[in-house]
Amino acid sequence: MMSKKNIGLKGVVYSTNPDFDYDSEQSETIETLKPQHQDLRVQLDKKQRGGKAVTLITGFIGSKDDLEILGKKLKQKCGVGGTAKDGEIIVQGDFREKVMTMLQADGYKVKKIGS
């Protein structure tokens, strides 16, 4: 188990350079943009999902927590499952129109991609 002071240290084990200063990885805090400044894309996706259709929302700029909160809200309103990770929200099923109206009601700029 790694000590707490060395948790962010990765890569370099030892250096013989006396002037070496290790840059530890600091988690960058991403500021969440206001809804009117977000440009979200809503599309239907069936690729690599065993033929199942999902509604994919991309383009969210903000923290992981805010993404998960928005994803949870959309999933609850649609009454289905899904996930929110890597800047994308996946809602199981074809709920493009419903998701678009909910996002527009919250003040987001939304565009529909595909047919």
Side-chain angles (χ1 to χ4, degrees), residues 47-110:
K47 295 179 182 174
Q48 299 177 355
R49 303 187 194 284
K52 306 283 188 205
V54 297
T55 303
L56 183 64
I57 300 103
T58 58
F60 184 83
I61 300 171
S63 69
K64 185 178 177 182
D65 293 335
D66 292 334
L67 178 71
E68 290 176 358
I69 290 169
L70 181 61
K72 183 176 180 179
K73 178 181 176 182
L74 293 174
K75 292 184 296 184
Q76 284 179 342
K77 295 285 185 176
C78 294
V80 294
T83 185
K85 60 183 176 182
D86 301 329
E88 297 180 341
I89 300 171
I90 298 172
V91 178
Q92 295 174 349
D94 185 4
F95 291 98
R96 290 176 289 182
E97 298 301 325
K98 191 171 187 178
V99 166
M100 286 180 65
T101 55
M102 284 188 286
L103 290 172
Q104 287 170 347
D106 288 344
Y108 289 95
K109 289 189 268 180
V110 183

Side-chain angles (χ1 to χ4, degrees), residues 10 28 32 43-44 46 49 51 59-60 95 98 107 111:
K10 293 183 180 177
E28 297 178 16
T32 304
Q43 64 185 350
L44 184 67
K46 293 182 183 178
R49 303 187 194 284
F60 184 83
F95 291 98
K98 191 171 187 178
K111 289 185 181 177

